[in-house]
Amino acid sequence: MKKVCLYLTALAITINSYAEQISSTSRYNDSLKTAPSSWWMLDPEIHEVPGVNTEKAYQFLEGRSSSTVVVAVIDSGIDIEHEDLKDVIWTNVDEVAGNGIDDDKNGYVDDIHGWNFLGGANGENIEFDSYELTREYVRLQQKYDQFSEAQQQADPEWEYYQKIEKEYNSTVQKMEGQFASFKEFYDQFKKAERLMEAYLDQEGLSKE
């Protein structure tokens, strides 16, 4: 029983500390309630949530004349049906939507609103991707595995690969250290959970 109480006390302290940290950073986290669904549109200073303050952007643009600008999104995607974007989203007029043919002969089939270059072979979204550092490391590693030492030294990308390899190994080492810390906490948490289930003679726990 003492062992159970010890683990529960440690767990409670950790959770309470985290809860206090959340509550102290946002006026919207009253009793750990979630922030508004539009939290990302709010102001970090005014509303105390990590939003981008879109309202201030609209106020800045109000009354100003507009001009057509084509913007390429280099990020994790864009909602082409968003009310502020759907009427101005770029459309490839040389491509026929949904016919499965590369009408404009640019190498991409049905690229009506651009292309997902980190997606699957057909531009569809994928569940997981990797860092550019990892992709470059793998690309170059596979390349130089086929080279002799003399060929490596003579290749124009060899020096670049050495920098990439060093950065990659450093990042892996850092991530492994973080993983070990997270795993230690997770293991303690699961152990406390098992002790709770045993003490309560119950499989599975809920907040209640």
Side-chain angles (χ1 to χ4, degrees):
M1 181 63 185
K2 288 183 179 179
K3 193 173 183 181
V4 172
C5 290
L6 178 63
Y7 275 114
L8 292 181
T9 300
L11 188 60
I13 291 172
T14 303
I15 293 174
N16 286 336
S17 174
Y18 180 63
E20 289 171 5
Q21 183 181 6
I22 294 175
S23 298
S24 67
T25 58
S26 173
R27 68 182 63 174
Y28 289 104
N29 282 297
D30 180 22
S31 301
L32 290 183
K33 291 179 180 177
T34 57
S37 58
S38 60
W39 63 265
W40 62 87
M41 300 177 67
L42 303 179
D43 187 291
E45 295 182 3
I46 298 173
H47 305 105
E48 300 176 8
V49 292
V52 296
N53 197 351
T54 51
E55 190 61 37
K56 185 179 289 185
Y58 283 121
Q59 290 172 1
F60 174 78
L61 295 171
E62 189 175 359
R64 294 171 179 263
S65 59
S66 63
S67 59
T68 300
V69 178
V70 178
V71 178
V73 178
I74 306 175
D75 200 351
S76 56
I78 191 168
D79 180 7
I80 62 175
E81 298 299 329
H82 189 280
E83 59 182 289
D84 292 334
L85 300 175
K86 62 183 181 181
D87 294 330
V88 295
I89 199 77
W90 177 83
T91 300
N92 184 357
V93 296
D94 296 324
E95 194 76 24
V96 178
N99 68 351
I101 299 172
D102 180 14
D103 300 286
D104 59 2
K105 309 299 181 185
N106 67 352
Y108 306 104
V109 176
D110 292 339
D111 53 322
I112 305 301
H113 301 297
W115 192 260
N116 181 357
F117 288 95
L118 287 182
N122 297 319
E124 73 274 11
N125 289 330
I126 55 177
E127 186 174 359
F128 301 108
D129 63 7
S130 57
Y131 290 116
E132 183 179 3
L133 173 63
T134 303
R135 294 193 296 272
E136 278 292 83
Y137 173 73
V138 171
R139 177 182 72 84
L140 292 166
Q141 184 188 50
Q142 292 175 344
K143 171 183 175 179
Y144 289 117
D145 278 349
Q146 311 299 320
F147 281 27
S148 67
E149 186 174 343
Q151 288 174 320
Q152 291 173 349
Q153 298 290 338
D155 192 82
E157 283 193 305
W158 175 244
E159 187 175 340
Y160 169 65
Y161 170 60
Q162 290 180 305
K163 292 179 180 179
I164 289 291
E165 183 180 37
K166 183 178 180 180
E167 185 179 353
Y168 173 82
N169 289 332
S170 175
T171 303
V172 168
Q173 187 176 11
K174 179 181 177 181
M175 294 297 182
E176 286 177 343
Q178 291 179 352
F179 175 77
S181 297
F182 290 139
K183 188 176 186 306
E184 183 178 357
F185 174 80
Y186 177 79
D187 290 343
Q188 292 296 323
F189 180 87
K190 297 303 291 185
K191 190 172 184 179
E193 187 178 50
R194 291 193 299 271
L195 287 168
M196 275 285 286
E197 290 177 336
Y199 178 72
L200 296 173
D201 191 23
Q202 178 176 318
E203 184 178 347
L205 301 174
S206 65
K207 288 199 306 184
E208 289 77 18

